[in-house]
Amino acid sequence: MDEQFPFNGAQAEAYIALGSNMGDREQLLLSAIALIDAHPAIEVSKVSGMYETDPVGYTDQPSFLNMTLAVRTKLTPLMLLRQLLALEQELGRVRQVRWGPRTIDLDLLLYDNVRMDQEELTLPHPRMLERSFVLVPLNDVMDESHQLYDEVSAASRAALLDGKEGITLWKILNWRSASEPFES
Ligand code: GSY
């Protein structure tokens, strides 16, 4: 889709999931936010709570810290995805086992209301509605005008009531301006 993307210079709103369960998890997430916001074509507009979550899938691994960012960008979806992959490398991403522990994960969840299915990128993220560790932080930052808002909001509330993924609010960050997250 990217090459035909009707790019008119306007900014899109995208949502990015962050996760870490190796090394200094909190510092890795803070560094990721700062790097994303320092990118000349990406601006972090909202930062979710930082949640500690039980591992899903391969469960014999440490708990994760997960959060979600709302960003504004002029990059196309594929360009944004490639920047996130490059930032993972810059942050020294380590992951030895496919579903196992990793220093940092940056996943593109949504890009406006774009739907696309390509080898490199599927939007909305294909597993986001099944993952409480994505839904709960996403609900913190998602704009009410988004087509999926009602679905995300209901699924997030159900996930918290259900409690099966052990999601605990770890920290609330105040987002002031570029590269300046601070703990409250
Ligand atoms: O991209 C998903 C990495 N991941 C996670 C995660 O981020 N959080 C939790 N709680 N479990 C996970 N299992 C995998 S794989």
Side-chain angles (χ1 to χ4, degrees), residues 55-99:
V56 172
Y58 174 58
T59 53
D60 188 16
Q61 57 176 322
S63 56
F64 281 78
L65 285 185
N66 287 111
M67 62 189 303
T68 299
L69 307 177
V71 302
R72 301 203 62 78
T73 185
K74 288 189 176 186
L75 300 178
T76 63
L78 273 178
M79 287 159 75
L80 178 57
L81 173 75
R82 289 173 189 149
Q83 288 305 314
L84 295 178
L85 296 177
L87 292 180
E88 282 183 346
Q89 296 309 315
E90 200 173 329
L91 285 160
R93 178 185 162 114
V94 173
R95 184 191 66 177
Q96 277 117 6
V97 183
R98 176 139 196 239
W99 302 107

Side-chain angles (χ1 to χ4, degrees), residues 138-139 142-154:
L138 176 58
N139 188 52
M142 195 170 186
D143 197 274
E144 289 181 21
S145 64
H146 195 282
Q147 280 171 6
L148 289 181
Y149 176 79
D150 289 342
E151 203 171 339
V152 166
S153 177

Side-chain angles (χ1 to χ4, degrees), residues 46-141:
K46 284 190 213 151
V47 172
S48 77
M50 205 180 259
Y51 294 86
E52 187 162 52
T53 66
D54 292 344
V56 172
Y58 174 58
T59 53
D60 188 16
Q61 57 176 322
S63 56
F64 281 78
L65 285 185
N66 287 111
M67 62 189 303
T68 299
L69 307 177
V71 302
R72 301 203 62 78
T73 185
K74 288 189 176 186
L75 300 178
T76 63
L78 273 178
M79 287 159 75
L80 178 57
L81 173 75
R82 289 173 189 149
Q83 288 305 314
L84 295 178
L85 296 177
L87 292 180
E88 282 183 346
Q89 296 309 315
E90 200 173 329
L91 285 160
R93 178 185 162 114
V94 173
R95 184 191 66 177
Q96 277 117 6
V97 183
R98 176 139 196 239
W99 302 107
R102 70 272 323 269
T103 47
I104 190 77
D105 229 3
L106 302 176
D107 286 329
L108 181 55
L109 302 175
L110 297 166
Y111 182 103
D112 281 342
N113 287 301
V114 168
R115 290 182 183 271
M116 61 187 276
D117 191 3
Q118 289 188 2
E119 201 177 334
E120 201 177 344
L121 177 63
T122 300
L123 288 172
H125 188 289
R127 289 172 297 283
M128 60 172 263
L129 292 171
E130 298 148 24
R131 294 174 161 182
S132 306
F133 66 81
V134 172
L135 291 165
V136 172
L138 176 58
N139 188 52
D140 285 352
V141 295

Side-chain angles (χ1 to χ4, degrees), residues 3-42:
E3 269 54 63
Q4 305 97 49
F5 190 71
F7 187 63
N8 58 11
Q11 286 205 326
E13 180 156 72
Y15 298 97
I16 299 167
L18 288 72
S20 171
N21 74 338
M22 249 179 114
D24 186 339
R25 302 172 305 168
E26 184 175 339
Q27 192 50 52
L28 280 158
L29 295 188
L30 292 173
S31 301
I33 302 170
L35 271 183
I36 291 169
D37 195 55
H39 191 286
I42 312 173

